[in-house]
């Protein structure tokens, strides 16, 4: 019987292409979806950015197949959603303060 070396499976990276307010397509890496106060928020990282900042967008269902992604203006909501994200991934990701 041969010895087999099992390698951990690589995580599949999900890329979302969104259109910005100028009509330009921008690719984002999907990191997570967080439910906060009954609203879903996507946590994304711009694919071609060199910094490690995330983008948090609120999910607005349009119908059963479509949804809109809206920028979040409320700083307290952004901080709360990011805090949940950091807690969830504290053992996986390194966060800079």
């Amino acid at each position: 019987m041969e010895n087999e070396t099992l390698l951990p499976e690589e995580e599949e990276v999900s890329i979302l292409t969104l259109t910005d307010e100028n009509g330009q397509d921008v690719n984002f890496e999907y990191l997570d979806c967080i439910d906060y106060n009954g609203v879903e928020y996507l946590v994304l990282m711009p694919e071609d950015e060199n910094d490690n900042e995330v983008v948090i967008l609120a999910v607005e269902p349009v119908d059963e197949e479509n949804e809109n992604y809206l920028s979040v203006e409320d700083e307290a909501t952004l901080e709360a959603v990011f805090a949940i994200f950091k807690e969830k991934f504290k053992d996986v990701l390194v966060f800079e303060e």
Side-chain angles (χ1 to χ4, degrees), residues 27-95:
N27 290 332
F28 292 89
E29 180 181 344
Y30 170 87
L31 300 177
D32 200 14
C33 185
I34 305 284
D35 184 55
Y36 177 72
N37 285 343
V39 177
E40 286 186 328
Y41 295 90
L42 293 183
V43 181
L44 308 171
M45 182 174 294
E47 186 181 51
D48 51 343
E49 291 290 324
N50 291 334
D51 59 18
N52 290 326
E53 291 189 18
V54 298
V55 174
I56 297 173
L57 300 174
V59 178
E60 178 188 62
V62 174
D63 55 38
E64 290 195 22
E65 295 180 12
N66 299 299
E67 51 196 20
N68 289 328
Y69 304 113
L70 308 173
S71 62
V72 179
E73 303 296 329
D74 182 54
E75 244 350 273
T77 300
L78 286 171
E79 289 175 11
V81 171
F82 188 60
I84 294 167
F85 175 74
K86 285 188 349 182
E87 179 63 26
K88 191 173 178 181
F89 289 94
K90 67 182 179 188
D91 296 330
V92 178
L93 301 173
V94 176
F95 295 96

Side-chain angles (χ1 to χ4, degrees), residues 6-26:
L6 298 177
L7 300 174
E9 290 184 35
E10 289 185 28
E11 289 188 33
E12 186 175 316
V13 175
S14 295
I15 301 296
L16 285 137
T17 302
L18 303 177
T19 304
D20 69 12
E21 62 274 357
N22 299 321
Q24 300 294 315
D25 286 345
V26 182

